[in-house]
Amino acid sequence: MSEWKQAIVIGASGGIGQAMADALEEEGVRVTRLARSMPGDGHIDIEDEASIAAAAERIAKGPAPDLVIVATGLLHDGERGPEKALDQLSPEWLARNFAVNAIGPALVAKRLLPLMPRTGKTLFAVLSARVGSISDNRMGGWYGYRASKAALNQFVRTLAIEHKRRNDRSIIVALHPGTVDTALSRPFQGNVRPGGLFAPDRAAVQLLDVIDGLKAPDSGKLFDWEGKEVQP
């Protein structure tokens, strides 16, 4: 049985989010699934704060969540994809990257962190990416995705500092799942080394194993799927 009792998974219709929700339920955790594509009480649009606030109001009527996972992200959309060179920069596409990859999760934290218990171990996790690490950037390109994930990692660090004052056992982290066989990564799987492409159910178990092993001093950091800290 999992140590978690009540989980919220945002992005639960996506490959990783759905697999994490399924794995948590298999461990006996009560899971509330939210996604933009879900109707009714399951709907949330992280690009719309009113939608996030409405979802938070529904969540507030039930048991307080001790685990929140934000499994959303944007890498490509239709013909739009990550920039390969400077001349491909577009203010609209950059803004969309930041809206989905950084601002949305931060607004989710704004609305849901106050609903989490003030005592005991709690965990708020967002899916980030190793390419958001500035020190690890050796190839360039992917301007909007890299910068928005770097911003997300900074949000996580700042949220962790503030929320520690509310609950000194709270953990707020970013997670790098590796390359997972989902719609997000599919156009870019050609260069993945053998054994480096994970099925969603395997990725979910790996990430949950990392989550279960985290301690309060880990709050504010980025960890990969093996539980290794990724430097900013």
Side-chain angles (χ1 to χ4, degrees):
M1 295 291 289
S2 172
E3 66 178 306
W4 311 107
K5 296 179 177 63
Q6 182 74 30
I8 309 292
V9 178
I10 296 172
S13 64
I16 300 177
Q18 181 175 341
M20 294 185 81
D22 290 346
L24 285 165
E25 287 184 342
E26 289 175 5
E27 295 181 6
V29 182
R30 183 179 176 186
V31 179
T32 298
R33 301 174 186 237
L34 301 172
R36 186 172 59 182
S37 62
M38 290 182 175
D41 288 350
H43 179 74
I44 191 171
D45 182 351
I46 66 165
E47 294 183 77
D48 178 3
E49 188 176 8
S51 175
I52 299 170
E57 288 179 8
R58 297 192 299 270
I59 292 167
K61 296 175 182 177
D66 54 358
L67 174 64
V68 174
I69 298 170
V70 184
T72 56
L74 173 71
L75 179 57
H76 59 90
D77 187 9
E79 295 183 358
R80 274 287 188 188
E83 311 91 344
K84 295 181 180 179
L86 183 63
D87 61 6
Q88 296 177 357
L89 289 184
S90 154
E92 295 80 13
W93 183 239
L94 287 170
R96 182 89 198 286
N97 272 266
F98 273 82
V100 175
N101 293 333
I103 298 171
L107 293 177
V108 169
K110 172 186 174 181
R111 297 290 180 171
L112 294 193
L113 283 177
L115 304 183
M116 301 183 80
R118 297 182 69 97
T119 59
K121 184 178 179 181
T122 65
L123 196 142
F124 184 99
V126 300
L127 292 193
S128 186
R130 188 185 300 277
V131 296
S133 166
I134 295 172
S135 63
D136 193 61
N137 184 358
R138 297 177 179 85
M139 296 183 65
W142 290 31
Y143 286 86
Y145 191 72
R146 286 185 185 277
S148 60
K149 290 296 188 179
L152 175 63
N153 297 340
Q154 181 68 282
F155 273 133
V156 164
R157 176 62 177 167
T158 306
L159 287 165
I161 292 170
E162 178 175 350
H163 197 62
K164 187 69 69 177
R165 303 172 191 137
R166 182 177 184 271
N167 179 355
D168 61 7
R169 292 191 63 199
S170 67
I171 304 169
I172 300 175
V173 293
L175 300 172
H176 168 61
T179 305
V180 184
D181 188 11
T182 64
L184 183 141
S185 70
R186 207 148 287 144
F188 312 99
Q189 294 176 4
N191 296 324
V192 178
R193 59 179 172 75
L197 181 64
F198 303 132
D201 56 350
R202 178 181 171 186
V205 171
Q206 290 172 164
L207 291 175
L208 290 173
D209 283 346
V210 173
I211 284 173
D212 288 345
L214 294 174
K215 307 296 183 185
D218 297 321
S219 191
K221 299 176 181 179
L222 167 63
F223 294 92
D224 72 9
W225 56 273
E226 293 182 299
K228 297 177 181 177
E229 183 181 353
V230 178
Q231 296 301 315

